[in-house]
Coordinates of all heavy atoms in Angstrom, one line a residue:
V6 N 104.0 131.3 257.1 CA 104.0 130.1 257.9 C 103.8 128.9 257.1 O 103.0 128.8 256.3 CB 102.8 130.2 258.9 CG1 102.7 129.0 259.8 CG2 103.0 131.4 259.9
Q7 N 104.7 127.9 257.3 CA 104.5 126.6 256.7 C 104.2 125.6 257.7 O 104.6 125.7 258.8 CB 105.9 126.1 256.0 CG 106.3 127.0 254.8 CD 107.6 126.5 254.4 OE1 108.5 126.0 255.1 NE2 107.9 126.6 253.1
A8 N 103.3 124.6 257.4 CA 103.0 123.6 258.4 C 103.3 122.2 257.8 O 102.9 121.8 256.7 CB 101.5 123.7 258.6
D9 N 104.2 121.4 258.6 CA 104.7 120.2 258.2 C 104.2 119.2 259.1 O 104.3 119.3 260.4 CB 106.2 120.1 258.0 CG 106.7 121.2 257.1 OD1 106.1 121.2 256.0 OD2 107.8 121.7 257.3
G10 N 103.6 118.0 258.7 CA 103.2 117.0 259.5 C 102.2 116.1 258.9 O 101.4 116.6 258.1
T11 N 102.3 114.8 259.0 CA 101.4 113.9 258.4 C 100.1 113.7 259.3 O 99.1 113.3 258.8 CB 102.0 112.5 258.2 OG1 102.5 112.0 259.6 CG2 103.2 112.6 257.3
D12 N 100.2 114.0 260.5 CA 99.1 113.8 261.5 C 98.6 115.1 261.9 O 99.4 116.0 262.2 CB 99.5 113.0 262.7 CG 98.4 112.6 263.7 OD1 97.3 112.8 263.3 OD2 98.7 112.2 264.8
G13 N 97.3 115.3 261.9 CA 96.7 116.6 262.3 C 96.9 117.0 263.7 O 96.8 118.2 264.1
N14 N 97.2 116.0 264.5 CA 97.4 116.3 266.0 C 98.8 116.7 266.4 O 99.1 117.0 267.4 CB 97.1 115.0 266.8 CG 95.6 114.7 266.7 OD1 94.8 115.5 266.2 ND2 95.2 113.6 267.2
C15 N 99.7 116.5 265.4 CA 101.2 116.8 265.6 C 101.7 117.5 264.4 O 101.9 116.9 263.3 CB 101.9 115.6 265.9 SG 103.6 115.9 266.4
I16 N 101.9 118.8 264.5 CA 102.4 119.6 263.4 C 103.5 120.5 263.8 O 103.6 121.0 264.9 CB 101.2 120.5 262.9 CG1 100.0 119.7 262.4 CG2 101.7 121.4 261.7 CD1 98.8 120.4 261.9
T17 N 104.4 120.7 262.9 CA 105.5 121.7 263.0 C 105.3 122.8 262.2 O 105.2 122.6 260.8 CB 106.9 121.0 262.7 OG1 107.2 119.9 263.6 CG2 108.0 122.0 262.8
F18 N 105.1 124.0 262.6 CA 105.0 125.2 261.9 C 106.3 125.9 261.7 O 107.1 126.0 262.7 CB 104.0 126.2 262.7 CG 102.6 125.6 262.9 CD1 102.3 124.9 264.1 CD2 101.7 125.7 262.0 CE1 101.1 124.4 264.4 CE2 100.4 125.1 262.2 CZ 100.1 124.5 263.4
V19 N 106.6 126.3 260.6 CA 107.9 127.1 260.3 C 107.5 128.5 260.3 O 106.8 129.0 259.3 CB 108.6 126.6 259.1 CG1 109.8 127.4 258.8 CG2 108.8 125.1 259.1
L20 N 108.0 129.3 261.1 CA 107.7 130.8 261.2 C 108.9 131.5 260.7 O 110.0 131.5 261.4 CB 107.4 131.2 262.7 CG 106.2 130.4 263.4 CD1 106.0 130.7 264.8 CD2 104.9 130.6 262.7
H21 N 108.8 132.2 259.6 CA 109.9 132.9 259.0 C 110.0 134.3 259.6 O 109.0 134.9 260.0 CB 109.7 133.0 257.5 CG 109.7 131.7 256.9 ND1 110.9 131.0 256.5 CD2 108.7 130.8 256.6 CE1 110.6 129.9 255.9 NE2 109.2 129.7 256.0
D22 N 111.2 134.8 259.7 CA 111.6 136.2 260.2 C 111.1 136.4 261.6 O 110.6 137.4 262.0 CB 110.9 137.3 259.3 CG 111.5 137.2 257.9 OD1 112.7 137.0 257.7 OD2 110.7 137.5 256.9
E23 N 111.3 135.2 262.4 CA 110.9 135.3 263.9 C 112.0 134.8 264.7 O 113.0 134.1 264.2 CB 109.7 134.5 264.2 CG 108.4 135.1 263.5 CD 108.0 136.5 263.9 OE1 108.5 136.9 265.0 OE2 107.3 137.1 263.2
D24 N 112.0 135.0 266.0 CA 113.1 134.6 266.9 C 112.5 134.2 268.3 O 111.3 134.0 268.4 CB 114.1 135.7 267.1 CG 113.6 136.9 267.6 OD1 112.4 137.0 268.0 OD2 114.3 138.0 267.6
H25 N 113.4 134.2 269.3 CA 112.9 133.8 270.6 C 111.8 134.6 271.2 O 111.0 134.1 272.0 CB 114.1 133.8 271.6 CG 115.1 132.7 271.4 ND1 114.8 131.4 271.6 CD2 116.3 132.8 270.9 CE1 115.9 130.8 271.3 NE2 116.9 131.5 270.9
T26 N 111.7 135.9 270.8 CA 110.7 136.8 271.3 C 109.3 136.2 271.1 O 108.4 136.1 272.0 CB 110.8 138.2 270.7 OG1 112.1 138.7 270.8 CG2 109.8 139.1 271.3
L27 N 109.0 135.8 269.8 CA 107.7 135.3 269.5 C 107.6 133.8 270.1 O 106.6 133.4 270.6 CB 107.3 135.4 268.1 CG 106.0 134.7 267.7 CD1 104.8 135.5 268.3 CD2 105.9 134.6 266.2
G28 N 108.7 133.0 269.8 CA 108.7 131.6 270.1 C 108.3 131.4 271.5 O 107.6 130.5 271.8
N29 N 109.1 132.0 272.5 CA 108.9 131.7 273.9 C 107.5 132.1 274.4 O 106.9 131.5 275.2 CB 110.0 132.3 274.7 CG 110.1 131.7 276.1 OD1 109.8 130.6 276.3 ND2 110.5 132.5 277.0
S30 N 107.1 133.3 274.0 CA 105.8 133.8 274.5 C 104.7 133.1 273.8 O 103.6 132.8 274.5 CB 105.6 135.4 274.2 OG 105.9 135.6 272.8
L31 N 104.8 132.6 272.6 CA 103.6 131.9 272.0 C 103.7 130.4 272.6 O 102.6 129.9 272.9 CB 103.9 131.7 270.5 CG 102.9 131.0 269.7 CD1 101.5 131.6 269.8 CD2 103.2 131.0 268.2
R32 N 104.8 129.8 272.8 CA 104.9 128.6 273.6 C 104.2 128.6 274.9 O 103.4 127.7 275.3 CB 106.3 128.1 273.7 CG 106.5 126.7 274.4 CD 107.8 126.5 274.9 NE 108.2 127.5 275.9 CZ 107.8 127.5 277.2 NH1 107.0 126.6 277.6 NH2 108.2 128.4 278.0
Y33 N 104.4 129.7 275.6 CA 103.7 129.8 276.9 C 102.2 129.8 276.8 O 101.4 129.2 277.5 CB 104.2 131.1 277.6 CG 103.5 131.4 278.9 CD1 103.8 130.7 280.0 CD2 102.5 132.4 278.9 CE1 103.1 131.0 281.3 CE2 101.7 132.7 280.1 CZ 102.0 132.0 281.2 OH 101.4 132.2 282.4
M34 N 101.7 130.6 275.8 CA 100.3 130.8 275.6 C 99.7 129.4 275.1 O 98.6 129.1 275.6 CB 99.9 131.8 274.6 CG 100.4 133.2 275.0 SD 99.8 133.8 276.6 CE 98.2 134.3 276.2
V35 N 100.4 128.7 274.3 CA 99.8 127.5 273.8 C 99.8 126.4 274.9 O 98.9 125.6 274.9 CB 100.6 126.9 272.5 CG1 100.3 125.5 272.2 CG2 100.4 127.9 271.4
M36 N 100.8 126.4 275.7 CA 100.9 125.4 276.8 C 99.8 125.5 277.8 O 99.5 124.7 278.6 CB 102.2 125.4 277.4 CG 103.2 124.6 276.6 SD 102.8 122.9 276.2 CE 102.9 122.2 277.8
K37 N 99.2 126.7 277.9 CA 98.1 127.0 278.9 C 96.8 126.1 278.5 O 96.0 125.9 279.4 CB 97.8 128.4 278.9 CG 98.8 129.2 279.6 CD 98.6 130.7 279.5 CE 97.4 131.2 280.2 NZ 97.3 132.6 280.2
N38 N 96.7 125.6 277.3 CA 95.6 124.8 276.8 C 95.8 123.4 277.3 O 96.8 122.7 277.1 CB 95.6 124.8 275.3 CG 94.4 124.1 274.7 OD1 93.8 123.3 275.4 ND2 94.0 124.5 273.5
P39 N 94.9 122.9 278.1 CA 95.0 121.6 278.7 C 95.0 120.5 277.6 O 95.4 119.3 277.9 CB 93.8 121.3 279.6 CG 92.8 122.4 279.1 CD 93.6 123.5 278.5
E40 N 94.6 120.7 276.4 CA 94.5 119.6 275.3 C 95.9 119.5 274.7 O 96.1 118.6 273.9 CB 93.5 119.9 274.2 CG 92.1 119.8 274.8 CD 91.7 118.3 275.2 OE1 92.0 117.5 274.4 OE2 91.2 118.1 276.3
V41 N 96.8 120.4 274.9 CA 98.1 120.4 274.4 C 99.0 119.5 275.2 O 99.3 119.7 276.3 CB 98.7 121.8 274.3 CG1 100.2 121.7 273.7 CG2 97.9 122.6 273.3
E42 N 99.6 118.4 274.6 CA 100.4 117.4 275.2 C 101.9 117.9 275.1 O 102.7 117.8 276.1 CB 100.3 116.0 274.6 CG 101.1 115.0 275.2 CD 100.8 113.6 274.7 OE1 100.6 113.6 273.4 OE2 100.8 112.7 275.5
F43 N 102.4 118.6 274.0 CA 103.7 119.0 273.8 C 103.7 120.3 273.0 O 103.0 120.4 272.0 CB 104.6 118.0 273.1 CG 105.9 118.5 272.7 CD1 106.9 118.5 273.8 CD2 106.2 118.9 271.6 CE1 108.2 119.0 273.5 CE2 107.5 119.4 271.2 CZ 108.4 119.5 272.2
C44 N 104.4 121.2 273.4 CA 104.6 122.4 272.5 C 106.1 123.0 272.8 O 106.5 123.1 274.0 CB 103.7 123.5 273.0 SG 103.9 125.0 272.0
G45 N 106.8 123.1 271.7 CA 108.2 123.6 271.9 C 108.7 124.2 270.5 O 108.0 124.1 269.4
Y46 N 109.8 124.9 270.6 CA 110.2 125.5 269.4 C 111.8 125.5 269.4 O 112.4 125.3 270.4 CB 109.8 127.0 269.4 CG 110.5 128.0 270.3 CD1 111.6 128.7 269.8 CD2 110.1 128.0 271.5 CE1 112.2 129.6 270.6 CE2 110.7 128.9 272.4 CZ 111.8 129.7 271.9 OH 112.5 130.5 272.8
C47 N 112.4 125.6 268.2 CA 113.8 125.8 268.2 C 114.1 126.6 266.9 O 113.4 126.7 266.0 CB 114.5 124.3 267.9 SG 114.2 123.5 266.3
I48 N 115.3 127.2 267.2 CA 115.8 128.1 266.0 C 116.9 127.2 265.3 O 117.8 126.7 265.9 CB 116.5 129.3 266.6 CG1 115.4 130.3 267.2 CG2 117.2 130.1 265.5 CD1 115.8 131.6 267.8
T49 N 116.6 127.0 264.0 CA 117.4 126.0 263.3 C 118.9 126.4 263.3 O 119.8 125.6 263.4 CB 116.9 125.9 261.9 OG1 116.9 127.2 261.2 CG2 115.5 125.4 261.8
H50 N 119.2 127.7 263.1 CA 120.6 128.1 263.1 C 120.6 129.6 263.4 O 119.8 130.3 263.0 CB 121.2 127.8 261.6 CG 122.7 128.1 261.6 ND1 123.3 129.2 261.4 CD2 123.8 127.1 261.9 CE1 124.7 129.1 261.5 NE2 124.9 127.8 261.7
P51 N 121.6 130.0 264.1 CA 121.6 131.5 264.5 C 121.6 132.4 263.3 O 121.1 133.6 263.4 CB 123.0 131.6 265.3 CG 123.2 130.3 265.8 CD 122.8 129.3 264.8
S52 N 122.2 132.0 262.1 CA 122.2 132.9 261.0 C 120.9 133.0 260.2 O 120.7 133.7 259.3 CB 123.4 132.5 260.1 OG 123.1 131.2 259.5
E53 N 120.0 132.0 260.5 CA 118.6 132.0 260.0 C 117.6 132.6 260.8 O 117.6 132.4 262.0 CB 118.2 130.5 259.6 CG 119.1 129.8 258.6 CD 118.6 128.4 258.4 OE1 117.3 128.3 258.2 OE2 119.4 127.5 258.3
S54 N 116.7 133.4 260.3 CA 115.7 134.0 261.1 C 114.3 133.3 260.9 O 113.3 133.8 260.4 CB 115.6 135.5 260.7 OG 115.2 135.6 259.3
K55 N 114.3 132.1 261.4 CA 113.1 131.3 261.4 C 113.1 130.4 262.5 O 114.2 129.9 263.0 CB 113.0 130.5 260.0 CG 113.8 129.4 259.8 CD 113.5 128.7 258.5 CE 114.4 127.5 258.4 NZ 114.1 126.7 257.2
I56 N 111.9 129.9 263.0 CA 111.8 129.0 264.1 C 111.0 127.8 263.7 O 110.0 128.1 262.8 CB 111.3 129.6 265.3 CG1 109.9 130.2 265.2 CG2 112.3 130.7 265.9 CD1 109.3 130.8 266.5
N57 N 111.2 126.7 264.2 CA 110.3 125.5 264.0 C 109.5 125.5 265.3 O 110.1 125.3 266.4 CB 111.1 124.3 263.8 CG 111.8 124.2 262.5 OD1 111.4 124.8 261.5 ND2 113.0 123.5 262.4
F58 N 108.2 125.5 265.1 CA 107.3 125.5 266.3 C 106.4 124.2 266.2 O 105.6 124.1 265.3 CB 106.5 126.8 266.2 CG 105.8 127.1 267.5 CD1 106.4 127.8 268.5 CD2 104.5 126.7 267.7 CE1 105.8 128.1 269.7 CE2 103.8 126.9 268.9 CZ 104.5 127.8 269.8
R59 N 106.6 123.4 267.1 CA 105.9 122.1 267.1 C 104.8 122.1 268.3 O 105.1 122.3 269.3 CB 106.9 120.9 267.3 CG 106.2 119.6 267.1 CD 107.4 118.5 266.8 NE 106.9 117.3 266.6 CZ 106.5 116.9 265.3 NH1 106.6 117.7 264.4 NH2 106.1 115.6 265.1
I60 N 103.6 121.5 267.8 CA 102.5 121.4 268.7 C 102.0 120.0 268.5 O 101.8 119.4 267.4 CB 101.3 122.4 268.5 CG1 101.9 123.8 268.6 CG2 100.2 122.1 269.4 CD1 100.9 124.8 268.3
Q61 N 101.8 119.3 269.7 CA 101.1 118.0 269.7 C 99.9 118.0 270.6 O 100.1 118.4 271.8 CB 102.1 116.9 270.1 CG 101.6 115.5 270.1 CD 102.6 114.4 270.4 OE1 103.9 114.7 270.4 NE2 102.1 113.2 270.8
T62 N 98.8 117.6 270.2 CA 97.6 117.6 271.1 C 97.4 116.2 271.6 O 97.7 115.2 271.0 CB 96.3 118.2 270.4 OG1 96.2 117.4 269.2 CG2 96.6 119.6 269.9
R63 N 96.5 116.1 272.6 CA 96.1 114.8 273.2 C 95.1 114.1 272.5 O 95.2 112.9 272.1 CB 95.7 115.1 274.7 CG 96.8 115.3 275.7 CD 96.2 115.4 277.0 NE 97.2 115.4 278.1 CZ 98.1 116.4 278.3 NH1 98.0 117.5 277.6 NH2 98.9 116.3 279.3
G64 N 94.0 114.7 272.1 CA 92.8 114.0 271.6 C 92.6 114.3 270.2 O 93.5 114.3 269.4
A65 N 91.3 114.5 269.8 CA 90.9 114.7 268.4 C 91.1 116.2 267.9 O 90.8 116.4 266.8 CB 89.5 114.3 268.2
L66 N 91.6 117.0 268.8 CA 91.8 118.5 268.5 C 93.0 118.6 267.6 O 94.1 118.2 267.9 CB 92.1 119.2 269.8 CG 92.2 120.8 269.6 CD1 90.9 121.4 269.2 CD2 92.8 121.4 270.9
P67 N 92.6 119.2 266.4 CA 93.9 119.4 265.5 C 94.8 120.5 266.0 O 94.3 121.4 266.7 CB 93.1 120.0 264.2 CG 91.7 119.9 264.3 CD 91.5 119.6 265.8
A68 N 96.1 120.2 265.7 CA 97.1 121.2 266.4 C 97.1 122.5 265.9 O 97.5 123.4 266.6 CB 98.5 120.5 266.0
V69 N 96.4 122.8 264.8 CA 96.3 124.2 264.2 C 95.3 125.0 265.1 O 95.5 126.2 265.2 CB 95.8 124.2 262.8 CG1 94.3 123.8 262.7 CG2 96.0 125.5 262.1
E70 N 94.4 124.4 265.9 CA 93.5 125.2 266.7 C 94.2 125.8 267.9 O 94.1 126.9 268.2 CB 92.4 124.3 267.2 CG 91.4 123.8 266.0 CD 90.8 125.0 265.3 OE1 90.4 126.0 266.0 OE2 90.7 124.9 264.0
P71 N 95.0 125.0 268.7 CA 95.7 125.8 269.8 C 96.7 126.8 269.3 O 97.0 127.8 270.0 CB 96.4 124.6 270.5 CG 96.1 123.3 269.9 CD 95.2 123.6 268.8
F72 N 97.3 126.5 268.1 CA 98.2 127.5 267.5 C 97.5 128.8 267.2 O 98.0 129.8 267.6 CB 98.8 126.9 266.2 CG 99.8 127.8 265.5 CD1 101.0 128.1 266.0 CD2 99.5 128.3 264.3 CE1 101.9 128.8 265.4 CE2 100.4 129.1 263.6 CZ 101.6 129.4 264.2
R73 N 96.4 128.6 266.5 CA 95.5 129.9 266.3 C 95.1 130.6 267.6 O 95.1 131.8 267.7 CB 94.3 129.4 265.4 CG 93.5 130.7 265.0 CD 92.4 130.2 264.1 NE 92.9 129.8 262.8 CZ 92.7 128.6 262.3 NH1 92.0 127.7 262.9 NH2 93.2 128.3 261.1
K74 N 94.7 129.8 268.5 CA 94.1 130.4 269.8 C 95.3 131.0 270.6 O 95.2 132.1 271.1 CB 93.5 129.3 270.7 CG 93.0 129.8 272.0 CD 92.3 128.8 272.8 CE 91.7 129.2 274.2 NZ 92.2 130.4 274.7
G75 N 96.5 130.4 270.6 CA 97.7 131.0 271.2 C 98.1 132.2 270.5 O 98.4 133.2 271.3
L76 N 98.0 132.4 269.2 CA 98.3 133.6 268.6 C 97.3 134.7 268.9 O 97.6 135.9 269.2 CB 98.3 133.5 267.0 CG 99.5 132.7 266.5 CD1 99.3 132.4 265.0 CD2 100.8 133.6 266.6
N77 N 96.0 134.3 268.9 CA 95.0 135.3 269.3 C 95.1 135.8 270.8 O 95.0 136.9 271.1 CB 93.5 134.8 269.0 CG 93.3 134.7 267.5 OD1 93.8 135.5 266.8 ND2 92.5 133.7 267.2
D78 N 95.4 134.9 271.7 CA 95.5 135.2 273.0 C 96.8 136.1 273.3 O 96.7 137.1 274.0 CB 95.7 134.0 273.9 CG 94.4 133.1 274.0 OD1 93.3 133.7 273.6 OD2 94.4 132.0 274.5
L79 N 97.8 135.8 272.6 CA 99.0 136.6 272.7 C 98.8 138.0 272.1 O 99.3 139.0 272.7 CB 100.2 136.0 271.9 CG 101.5 136.6 272.0 CD1 102.0 136.7 273.5 CD2 102.6 135.8 271.2
M80 N 98.0 138.1 271.1 CA 97.8 139.5 270.5 C 96.8 140.3 271.5 O 97.0 141.4 271.8 CB 97.0 139.4 269.2 CG 97.8 139.0 268.1 SD 97.1 139.1 266.4 CE 95.5 138.9 266.6
G81 N 95.9 139.6 272.3 CA 95.2 140.2 273.3 C 96.0 140.7 274.4 O 95.8 141.9 274.9
V82 N 96.9 139.9 274.8 CA 97.8 140.3 276.0 C 98.7 141.5 275.6 O 98.8 142.5 276.3 CB 98.7 139.2 276.4 CG1 99.8 139.5 277.4 CG2 97.9 138.0 277.1
C83 N 99.2 141.5 274.3 CA 100.0 142.6 273.8 C 99.2 143.8 273.8 O 99.6 144.9 274.0 CB 100.7 142.3 272.5 SG 101.9 141.0 272.6
Q84 N 98.0 143.7 273.3 CA 97.1 144.9 273.2 C 96.8 145.4 274.5 O 96.7 146.8 274.7 CB 95.8 144.5 272.4 CG 95.0 145.8 272.1 CD 95.6 146.7 271.2 OE1 96.2 146.3 270.2 NE2 95.6 148.0 271.5
H85 N 96.6 144.6 275.5 CA 96.3 145.1 276.9 C 97.5 145.8 277.4 O 97.4 146.9 278.1 CB 95.9 143.9 277.8 CG 95.9 144.2 279.3 ND1 94.8 144.9 279.7 CD2 96.7 144.0 280.3 CE1 95.0 145.2 281.0 NE2 96.1 144.6 281.4
V86 N 98.7 145.3 277.2 CA 99.9 146.0 277.7 C 100.1 147.3 277.0 O 100.4 148.3 277.6 CB 101.1 145.1 277.4 CG1 102.4 145.8 277.7 CG2 101.1 143.8 278.3
L87 N 99.8 147.3 275.7 CA 99.8 148.6 275.0 C 98.9 149.6 275.5 O 99.2 150.8 275.7 CB 99.7 148.4 273.5 CG 99.8 149.6 272.6 CD1 101.2 150.2 272.6 CD2 99.4 149.3 271.1
N88 N 97.7 149.3 275.7 CA 96.6 150.2 276.3 C 97.0 150.6 277.6 O 96.8 151.8 277.9 CB 95.3 149.5 276.3 CG 94.8 149.2 274.9 OD1 95.2 149.7 273.9 ND2 93.8 148.3 274.8
T89 N 97.5 149.7 278.5 CA 97.9 150.1 279.8 C 99.1 151.1 279.8 O 99.1 152.1 280.5 CB 98.3 148.9 280.6 OG1 97.2 148.1 280.7 CG2 98.7 149.3 282.1
F90 N 100.0 150.9 278.9 CA 101.2 151.8 278.7 C 100.8 153.2 278.3 O 101.2 154.1 278.8 CB 102.2 151.2 277.8 CG 103.4 151.9 277.5 CD1 104.3 152.1 278.6 CD2 103.5 152.7 276.4 CE1 105.5 152.9 278.3 CE2 104.7 153.5 276.2 CZ 105.6 153.6 277.2
E91 N 99.9 153.2 277.3 CA 99.4 154.5 276.8 C 98.6 155.2 277.7 O 98.6 156.3 277.9 CB 98.7 154.3 275.4 CG 99.5 153.8 274.4 CD 98.8 153.5 273.0 OE1 97.5 153.4 273.1 OE2 99.4 153.5 272.0

């Protein structure tokens, strides 16, 4: 993961070897945070397996915090689905 951005409230994370599967579900989890003003992702080119994932927060909250929380929440949901399936 690379993080590009001059302001701590607005950062673009570059996620390598990922696609819409992670991008869309992570975007959903991050947008549940009321401090997040914008969250979106794009795939740079179909032949590249990386996504640009951008987060912009409203206040003094650094953008890395909702990113980290979104990843942790998504792992929890996936673990619950796996446990239910088993």
